[in-house]
Amino acid sequence: MQRPRVLSGVQPTGALHLGNWLGAIRNWVDLQSDHDTFFCVVDLHAITVPHNPARLAEDTRTTAALYLACGIDPERSTVFVQSHVPAHSELGWILNCVTPLNWLERMIQFKEKAIKQGDNVSVGLLDYPVLMAADILLYDADLVPVGEDQKQHLELARDIAQQRINSRFGSEEAPLLKVPKPLILSEGARVMSLTDGRSKMSKSDPNEGSRITLLDPPELITKKVKRAKTDPVIGLEFGNPERPEADNLLGLYALLSGKGREAAREECAAMGWGAFKPLLAETLVEALRPVQERYRALRSDDGQIDAVLRQGRERAADVAATTLRRVRDGLGFLPAR
Ligand code: TYM
């Protein structure tokens, strides 16, 4: 029996943060034991907003190394770089030609990012969810583990596969594309900013103090936690809509201490912010320590990371080529002879 297939990815735009880890990568690690897992560094997505060419290659390696440092095992998972497998761009183009423009115009993330870009919005930014659909559909993925913010993009990928490809070009017995399902964890799927508990932690927030990255040194973590937004109420609690910061930080503590929500809630119910913040900072530092140690060891030999990416590219390209051939045939292209 073939194990269910999993595909996911993170953009290489600066160091990954707690949201990427807790919302996505942590889940990937657990899936490796009983799924056929593919994890890519989605560099073609990173150029949908203005990017720095002097940093792209380095950020791509950093992201791949962080996957491994977080526990992705290249013996069990296929780890690769999106742009190393040209089939992503090719299927992306084919899907572009069948996706209605208004499906893209209503994407929440596009609207949010477009506002930030002002007059400089690229076609790529609008088109980004179609490329993401290609990433997923190329691998016949059953499951896509992501944070809450990607749910709408996953629904789009399902609609493209089902309504725009399978029902038009395939048959019920032989669908051209597998229709994937999102896999969103109940905890950690929406980690919020440290400076505003109502907006999500994000790589693009200009305020570095709003996020903790996986590579922040202990002193910086402590400083960011110390400056994190609080409120005048004593005692941490979950679920009070007036206190999004308390909910977010207590959630981080529950998850990263390994104590779980009930024990964390009891422990901190009467605790003031002055006692809670050092406890949270210490918990974060300890949770990230092993990741940072593994990361440093991996970066002492970039040849090893490049070898993992080379092997990943070979495996990924094989699977992608099979799907692409099926789609090309289904759409009636003349095969190259
Ligand atoms: P990206 O790079 O913005 O984020 C990578 C993953 O981290 C999750 N995430 C969060 N989870 C919880 N709280 C947060 N504050 C938070 N911020 C980010 C995201 O949901 C995501 O799972 N379009 C994708 C990348 C992508 C992709 C794919 C993902 C491209 N192709 C194919 C899955 C499958 C993105 O920009 O993620």
Side-chain angles (χ1 to χ4, degrees):
M1 259 273 284
Q2 219 193 340
R3 292 172 301 163
R5 178 77 58 71
V6 164
L7 177 124
S8 198
V10 177
Q11 293 192 49
T13 31
L16 309 194
H17 56 66
L18 278 183
N20 303 134
W21 188 35
L22 300 178
I25 301 176
R26 180 176 60 108
N27 199 1
W28 304 358
V29 173
D30 295 338
L31 289 164
Q32 294 180 106
S33 54
D34 46 7
H35 292 73
D36 183 16
T37 42
F38 286 72
F39 301 118
C40 60
V41 181
V42 290
D43 55 348
L44 294 170
H45 280 89
I47 64 165
T48 54
V49 293
H51 82 287
N52 179 355
R55 289 221 48 92
L56 183 59
E58 172 60 15
D59 285 347
T60 300
R61 260 210 203 96
T62 301
T63 304
L66 277 170
Y67 287 4
L68 306 184
C70 287
I72 299 301
D73 172 4
E75 296 299 318
R76 294 190 288 165
S77 292
T78 302
V79 180
F80 66 104
V81 176
Q82 181 190 32
S83 70
H84 293 179
V85 181
H88 290 247
S89 305
E90 197 173 339
L91 182 62
W93 174 257
I94 293 175
L95 299 183
N96 269 333
C97 296
V98 297
T99 304
L101 182 58
N102 65 6
W103 285 14
L104 299 179
E105 285 168 337
R106 62 169 191 247
M107 292 290 117
I108 296 162
Q109 208 168 65
F110 170 69
K111 290 190 216 164
E112 286 172 359
K113 288 194 181 178
I115 291 169
K116 288 189 198 147
Q117 298 298 316
D119 286 340
N120 203 10
V121 179
S122 69
V123 174
L125 189 66
L126 177 71
D127 196 28
Y128 160 126
V130 178
L131 180 61
M132 176 163 165
D135 300 339
I136 298 165
L137 301 174
L138 264 183
Y139 296 90
D140 290 331
D142 297 280
L143 294 172
V144 184
V146 284
E148 185 71 43
D149 61 339
Q150 296 300 320
K151 200 170 165 197
Q152 196 186 29
H153 292 162
L154 252 297
E155 279 158 15
L156 183 91
R158 289 169 56 85
D159 289 346
I160 294 175
Q162 186 53 44
Q163 299 174 30
R164 294 282 151 166
I165 297 286
N166 290 348
S167 64
R168 287 185 176 184
F169 304 105
S171 63
E172 196 119 316
E173 314 74 63
L176 288 180
L177 295 171
K178 167 80 86 43
V179 181
K181 289 201 179 77
L183 190 64
I184 297 172
L185 292 171
S186 56
E187 285 176 51
R190 195 165 166 80
V191 175
M192 308 310 279
S193 155
L194 295 188
T195 47
D196 173 9
R198 293 181 204 274
S199 61
K200 76 169 183 176
M201 185 176 285
S202 142
K203 278 180 244 168
S204 58
D205 190 325
N207 181 357
E208 302 243 347
S210 68
R211 61 185 162 267
I212 289 181
T213 85
L214 303 191
L215 296 175
D216 281 350
E219 320 77 69
L220 188 58
I221 294 177
T222 307
K223 193 163 111 190
K224 286 179 178 174
V225 172
K226 203 180 260 175
R227 293 194 182 157
K229 186 171 174 206
T230 57
D231 56 31
V233 183
I234 292 186
L236 277 290
E237 61 181 325
F238 285 122
N240 182 342
E242 302 299 312
R243 305 188 65 205
E245 288 79 20
D247 182 86
N248 185 44
L249 298 184
L250 186 57
L252 288 178
Y253 177 64
L255 206 52
L256 291 169
S257 64
K259 291 180 178 171
R261 286 170 76 86
E262 194 42 39
R265 192 188 60 76
E266 268 177 36
E267 183 185 351
C268 306
M271 204 181 266
W273 287 101
F276 176 70
K277 280 187 161 182
L279 180 66
L280 175 63
E282 184 58 24
T283 305
L284 286 167
V285 167
E286 287 313 315
L288 288 175
R289 191 188 303 281
V291 173
Q292 297 186 352
E293 280 171 5
R294 280 196 295 269
Y295 176 81
R296 279 193 289 271
L298 282 159
R299 289 312 303 261
S300 65
D301 177 11
D302 280 350
Q304 201 188 325
I305 296 165
D306 291 347
V308 166
L309 295 177
R310 190 178 327 118
Q311 188 193 337
R313 176 179 64 81
E314 283 165 13
R315 278 198 228 151
D318 273 352
V319 177
T322 307
T323 310
L324 190 58
R325 203 172 310 121
R326 206 167 62 226
V327 172
R328 290 175 60 109
D329 290 348
L331 268 66
F333 285 95
L334 176 69
R337 299 211 203 279

